[in-house]
Amino acid sequence: MLPVPATPVLVSIIIPTYNEAAGLPALLQYLRAGADPAMEVVVADAGSADATAAVARQHGARVVACPQRGRAIQLNQGAAAASGAILYFLHADTYPPPGFVAAIRAAVASGAGSGCFRLRFDHSHWLLRLSGWCTRFDVDIIRFGDQSLFVRREVFERVGGFRPELLVMEDQEIVGRLRRHGSFRVLPASVTTSARKYLQNGVVRLQAGFTLLTLLYRLGVPQARLVRLYRRLVTS
């Protein structure tokens, strides 16, 4: 008698959005093109003024209406509504590598509690290429949400999710807590993320600003000051 194949572990892709109607269709089409039978897409939308929610539903995503804007809050609410045993947090302007669901499942099956991919920008500026190259190293100070994040649900719940009071650096902060509850893996493939903010604000200026922001966060500068700095850095 042939063995019965194991049912694949459900992976929930959680995407926080605010006014992403223009770019979201392409991402959702990309995700569906490589669709896995045990995969769901959850869009956590913070009251977009455009057609983000309608677009998400048209492309087969489940929409979670978030009454408050803030990436940490939205990610937590998306996770609460998701059904998967593995949660995969993804920015709306970031494309995971081909076969990403299988890669995530394999990492978890081999003992990873959480992890991310390396990063590549969709622009060839030397500083962006250098920044992406550095993400291969397993160092928390270069872990950011653009790299996406996968985590076993039980680990995510054990650490209490993202800290909702953090408006910036929430993605870096959670990694330290996740490491205390299992192996964190940086997978060898790369996600591809948009360089739009860098091109609009100046690549060198914005990279230097983000480096400063990270250092100030590590030095314990309060969130209110970090948020003011971020808003001065990102003008569009």
Side-chain angles (χ1 to χ4, degrees), residues 4 30 89 133 153 171 188 220:
V4 177
Y30 173 84
F89 300 102
W133 181 83
R153 176 185 286 279
D171 42 15

Side-chain angles (χ1 to χ4, degrees), residues 131-142:
S131 179
W133 181 83
C134 288
T135 61
R136 69 189 57 219
F137 300 110
D138 192 9
V139 181
D140 284 358
I141 200 168
I142 52 174

Side-chain angles (χ1 to χ4, degrees), residues 119-187:
L119 179 67
R120 177 189 299 119
F121 287 94
D122 63 358
H123 193 276
S124 61
H125 190 285
W126 70 267
L127 187 54
L128 297 180
R129 286 190 284 112
L130 175 62
S131 179
W133 181 83
C134 288
T135 61
R136 69 189 57 219
F137 300 110
D138 192 9
V139 181
D140 284 358
I141 200 168
I142 52 174
R143 293 280 83 81
F144 293 99
D146 283 341
Q147 291 177 251
S148 69
L149 173 72
F150 67 87
V151 56
R152 290 166 48 209
R153 176 185 286 279
E154 64 178 274
V155 173
F156 184 75
E157 292 176 348
R158 198 180 306 155
V159 304
F162 291 92
R163 289 178 55 187
E165 71 274 18
L166 299 185
L167 297 180
V168 294
M169 310 304 292
E170 79 291 332
D171 42 15
Q172 190 168 114
E173 187 278 334
I174 196 174
V175 172
R177 290 186 287 126
L178 291 174
R179 286 186 185 277
R180 296 196 287 271
H181 295 273
S183 171
F184 186 94
R185 304 271 180 87
V186 181
L187 303 186

Side-chain angles (χ1 to χ4, degrees), residues 188-234:
S190 297
V191 300
T192 301
T193 195
S194 171
R196 177 182 58 84
K197 286 182 181 179
Y198 286 87
L199 299 177
Q200 291 177 342
N201 292 276
V203 173
V204 175
R205 173 184 175 274
L206 196 56
Q207 187 62 50
F210 282 160
T211 301
L212 175 61
L213 192 68
T214 302
L215 292 175
L216 292 176
Y217 164 73
R218 291 282 173 175
L219 290 172
V221 172
Q223 276 283 302
R225 290 181 60 188
L226 296 179
V227 170
R228 286 197 296 271
L229 175 59
Y230 180 88
R231 289 173 177 166
R232 287 174 57 190
L233 287 172
V234 184

